[in-house]
Amino acid sequence: MATDQLLRLFAEQNRVRAFAAVALGAETSEEVAQVAGLTPRGTAVALLKLREQGVVKTLDDGELRVDYDLFRNLAREGEEPAEESPVTGDEHTDMILRTFVRGGRLIRLPAQWSRKQVVLQHIAEQTFALGVQYPERTVNEKLRAWCDEGEVDHVTLRRYLVDLHHLRRSEGIYRRPTA
């Protein structure tokens, strides 16, 4: 399924409401109708389209579920292969980044300290503008995006960035130093 096809699927309000109901735990068409506030016919039509497009699936026991794998795969289809997109122009640095960073996500932190420093510097440079002040909540949100489905959590990442002086922290405000 193409992304534009997915957008067209969710352009109809009843489908969005039915999808949301399934995502929130409705397991039958009756539950979907109740949670989404749809008529039985509106529910049936919406679920039919959602099933046809593969965003909702019916399990063997008849329960409805969102097919989250479909969304993960769609998200990955949009990523360019890391091997084809050098980041810095420096062959050694690019090799390290291709190994540990894919599609704007940190796969894992390298064990070797010098490589870890390269990856952390890259994350800091790509995430935070020089001299701009960020509240801790914003820093956490930005770092969570790097950690999605990875082995490292955003708190560990934030701690490393502060410890290595890629970020400075003062009274709950963070900034990337200019020098």
Side-chain angles (χ1 to χ4, degrees):
M1 164 182 278
T3 305
D4 58 328
Q5 196 176 357
L6 184 64
L7 289 173
R8 283 193 300 277
L9 177 67
F10 288 118
E12 202 277 317
Q13 184 179 14
N14 284 356
R15 290 184 214 142
V16 173
R17 293 172 74 159
F19 178 82
V22 173
L24 290 172
E27 297 176 338
T28 65
S29 55
E30 293 80 17
E31 289 176 1
V32 170
Q34 182 180 8
V35 170
L38 299 174
T39 65
R41 177 169 163 52
T43 302
V45 171
L47 288 174
L48 177 65
K49 266 301 198 198
L50 293 170
R51 281 191 199 107
E52 283 176 354
Q53 297 301 317
V55 298
V56 169
K57 58 186 175 183
T58 305
L59 303 180
D60 292 338
D61 60 4
E63 292 181 356
L64 299 168
R65 291 285 188 272
V66 171
D67 188 354
Y68 291 106
D69 290 335
L70 172 75
F71 291 98
R72 279 190 206 96
N73 292 337
L74 280 171
R76 289 184 181 128
E77 282 176 16
E79 297 173 4
E80 291 184 24
E83 294 75 30
E84 296 176 13
S85 54
V87 178
T88 66
D90 176 83
E91 191 174 319
H92 179 69
T93 300
D94 287 347
M95 185 268 312
I96 293 169
L97 294 175
R98 281 193 303 266
T99 302
F100 297 100
V101 176
R102 293 206 186 102
R105 285 191 223 97
L106 177 64
I107 305 303
R108 67 183 187 284
L109 278 174
Q112 188 178 33
W113 190 246
S114 61
R115 290 180 177 196
K116 189 178 294 186
Q117 289 173 315
V118 168
V119 170
L120 291 167
Q121 180 177 350
H122 172 75
I123 290 171
E125 290 173 352
Q126 295 298 310
T127 309
F128 304 102
L130 287 172
V132 174
Q133 295 185 352
Y134 299 93
E136 187 165 315
R137 179 192 300 175
T138 303
V139 172
N140 288 339
E141 288 171 9
K142 288 177 170 285
L143 295 179
R144 273 190 196 104
W146 283 97
C147 299
D148 186 36
E149 296 184 33
E151 296 176 4
V152 180
D153 66 19
H154 70 282
V155 176
T156 301
L157 192 53
R158 187 185 68 214
R159 187 177 317 118
Y160 275 125
L161 291 171
V162 170
D163 289 348
L164 292 173
H165 306 289
H166 293 299
L167 287 179
R168 298 255 166 88
R169 174 179 49 210
S170 176
E171 298 177 17
I173 301 295
Y174 295 75
R175 68 177 177 80
R176 191 169 142 230
T178 54

